[in-house]
Amino acid sequence: MSQSLSVAVVGGGIGGLTSALCLARRGHRVHLLEQASAFVEAGAGIQLSPNATKVLLQLGLGDLLAAVCVQPEATHIRNWRSGRQISQTPLGKTAQTRYGAPYYHAHRGDLIKLLADAAESEPNIDIQLGTRLEDFSQSDDGVTLTAEGQSQRWDVMVGADGIHSLVRAKLWGEQQADFTGNMAWRMLVPIEGLPSEIAVPKTSVWWGPGKHFVHYLVSGGRYMNCVCVVETDTWHAESWTESGSVAQLRADFGGWHEDIQTLLAQADESTLFKWGLFDRPPMDSWSQGRVTLLGDACHPTLPFMAQGAAMAIEDAVILANCLTGQTDVARALQRYAQLRRNRTARIQRGSRRNAKVFHMSGIQAWFRDKAASRAGQQAMDGLYRYDPLLVGLDAP
Ligand SMILES: Cc1cc2nc3c(=O)[nH]c(=O)nc-3n(C[C@H](O)[C@H](O)[C@H](O)COP(=O)(O)OP(=O)(O)OC[C@H]3O[C@@H](n4cnc5c(N)ncnc54)[C@H](O)[C@@H]3O)c2cc1C
């Protein structure tokens, strides 16, 4: 028997918005709460791999995505100092054929706008901006949420409220996220100032001792998005992001290849930010009764496989698959977490491992480089062949 549920989704990031859309398209009534007064995304670029774009295409967002994204031709890994090519793995049409959906680079603002516009025009979704979840309680029949002093009751609650998740803390107790020993500089460079050999539609990844540098085009090719990662023992900032000085960034990457120096020469302090990179150990389960979690709220990960948002997008469709046609909500939520646990834990651990692999030096780096082409293709196949649209459809 098909049953339409009322679902409160807490958080309007990439995960929460995608979840709202997936649930609404299955006929559920969704109430989306976001604490910010508008939908916003911090940072600039995001890589969207085929395992995630499969979901966005199914939501009917394919043409809109194609209009704002860049489709990279390849992932290109290079040596930090000499620029020597370590490996090159084709993306573009090859990836689209191999994995059944495109690989895209997007500006986060474009992605969020496209998801928010789709949610706003969806009759089954009711959006409440500027509303912070404060508390909740649940019984066998429903979940009561308290936000801005008002209480409302729903059949299900999804905590898509990010790495600092209040929903997670209330269910499993307050726990500090782990500083991973890495920080990232993030900046956008306008394409006009760059030579044509740098402004190519590729994911360029430079591996160096204790650091790496990633750059790719976003916003229809108008900007180069740069993520520059540096190992550091401490992260003192109270906030997880802080503005940074161009001089410090240039000092961090002093001695790196001239292409990197060309990019750094264009760094603009007003758009430069430093991020402490945090994660948490994998959880065994993240559903309790009628409440579950999604995205960074349950499996925050280092960005070194570019899969955090992709995991949230996969969660969204699999949660909708699990809930649809089920009368036992608590059981459906347990099943959702069970179906997601191993894959997301592998990605959390793999991203931690990549932090070491990308930053190797000496003989270790030499062995790593020899194996890079084959290892890279294998890793991509494991990640991108996965089809979340098919997971959780079969009733247990
Ligand atoms: C440097 C860097 C690069 C990355 N690159 C990639 C990449 O290339 N590809 C990729 O797939 N991933 C990437 N990621 C990871 C990705 O950004 C995250 O995994 C993803 O954005 C998580 O989405 P989310 O919706 O789960 O959480 P969030 O984006 O954190 O959204 C949570 C939302 O909940 C709201 N909220 C929180 N608490 C409450 C409350 N109590 N009440 C109401 N609202 C609340 C917040 O305001 C926010 O809008 C990267 C991350 C970093 C740091």
Side-chain angles (χ1 to χ4, degrees), residues 61 75 117 185 194 256:
L61 302 173
T75 293
D117 286 351
W185 296 91
L194 296 176
W256 279 53

Side-chain angles (χ1 to χ4, degrees), residues 18-349:
T18 311
S19 176
L21 285 165
C22 291
L23 289 162
R25 298 285 166 85
R26 304 288 200 290
H28 303 295
R29 285 172 297 116
V30 181
H31 185 75
L32 181 82
L33 270 77
E34 167 55 49
Q35 65 184 1
S37 54
F39 291 112
V40 280
E41 258 290 308
I46 188 150
Q47 305 188 54
L48 291 170
S49 50
N51 46 315
T53 58
K54 278 170 198 165
V55 179
L56 303 176
L57 263 56
Q58 200 212 32
L59 289 171
L61 302 173
D63 289 347
L64 293 168
L65 270 177
V68 295
C69 291
V70 173
Q71 196 168 13
E73 291 161 5
T75 293
H76 188 200
I77 301 179
R78 301 178 68 180
N79 175 275
W80 67 286
R81 188 158 46 188
S82 66
R84 172 178 58 83
Q85 176 174 300
I86 296 171
S87 76
Q88 175 149 280
T89 317
L91 292 171
K93 288 203 165 37
T94 309
Q96 187 149 357
T97 308
R98 194 177 177 101
Y99 307 119
Y103 195 104
Y104 280 141
H105 291 158
H107 190 290
R108 284 168 183 260
D110 291 336
L111 175 63
I112 276 286
K113 177 166 180 353
L114 192 145
L115 291 168
D117 286 351
E120 276 159 1
S121 57
E122 174 62 58
N124 275 347
I125 302 178
D126 163 36
I127 297 171
Q128 215 174 334
L129 291 170
T131 309
R132 183 172 189 279
L133 175 79
E134 283 146 11
D135 204 357
F136 63 89
S137 61
Q138 60 172 317
S139 66
D140 288 347
D141 306 327
V143 191
T144 303
L145 275 70
T146 306
E148 310 301 320
Q150 308 242 320
S151 293
Q152 269 183 297
R153 191 178 169 86
W154 308 92
D155 293 328
V156 179
M157 179 171 87
V158 181
D161 50 346
I163 188 168
H164 307 286
S165 174
L166 176 92
V167 180
R168 175 193 169 116
K170 290 220 175 270
L171 290 178
W172 278 277
E174 202 75 56
Q175 215 185 2
Q176 288 282 323
D178 300 325
F179 179 58
T180 62
N182 292 272
M183 55 129 318
W185 296 91
R186 296 167 96 178
M187 64 173 183
L188 281 178
V189 174
I191 208 69
E192 294 84 44
L194 296 176
S196 55
E197 60 275 18
I198 295 182
V200 288
K202 289 184 179 177
T203 317
S204 297
V205 184
W206 300 74
W207 285 344
K211 295 169 193 167
H212 73 275
F213 196 115
V214 180
H215 59 89
Y216 53 83
L217 295 173
V218 295
S219 301
R222 292 194 310 282
Y223 291 95
M224 185 68 83
N225 177 68
C226 300
V227 183
C228 333
V229 176
V230 180
E231 287 178 11
T232 175
D233 290 338
T234 48
W235 182 256
H236 293 300
E238 252 181 54
S239 117
W240 293 24
T241 67
E242 55 176 60
S243 52
S245 88
V246 170
Q248 194 190 342
L249 168 62
R250 288 189 185 137
D252 274 348
F253 287 87
W256 279 53
H257 188 262
E258 65 196 56
D259 286 6
I260 299 296
Q261 303 311 323
T262 303
L263 286 163
L264 295 180
Q266 306 287 325
D268 169 2
E269 209 130 291
S270 67
T271 63
L272 183 64
F273 286 92
K274 291 199 292 186
W275 292 66
L277 298 180
F278 292 76
D279 69 3
R280 294 178 189 274
M283 296 174 82
D284 287 337
S285 177
W286 49 82
S287 298
Q288 273 191 34
R290 290 173 170 267
V291 179
T292 193
L293 302 174
L294 180 147
D296 278 9
C298 44
H299 42 68
T301 176
L302 271 171
F304 303 163
M305 292 170 92
Q307 285 295 306
M311 290 301 101
I313 292 170
E314 288 183 1
D315 287 348
V317 73
I318 294 169
L319 172 63
N321 287 348
C322 288
L323 276 174
T324 302
Q326 299 302 312
T327 44
D328 187 340
V329 166
R331 190 152 167 238
L333 295 184
Q334 285 300 335
R335 183 153 176 270
Y336 149 71
Q338 190 195 353
L339 288 169
R340 298 300 293 145
R341 188 185 57 196
N342 290 347
R343 179 166 166 87
T344 55
R346 265 200 307 277
I347 286 165
Q348 286 177 289
R349 292 194 192 101

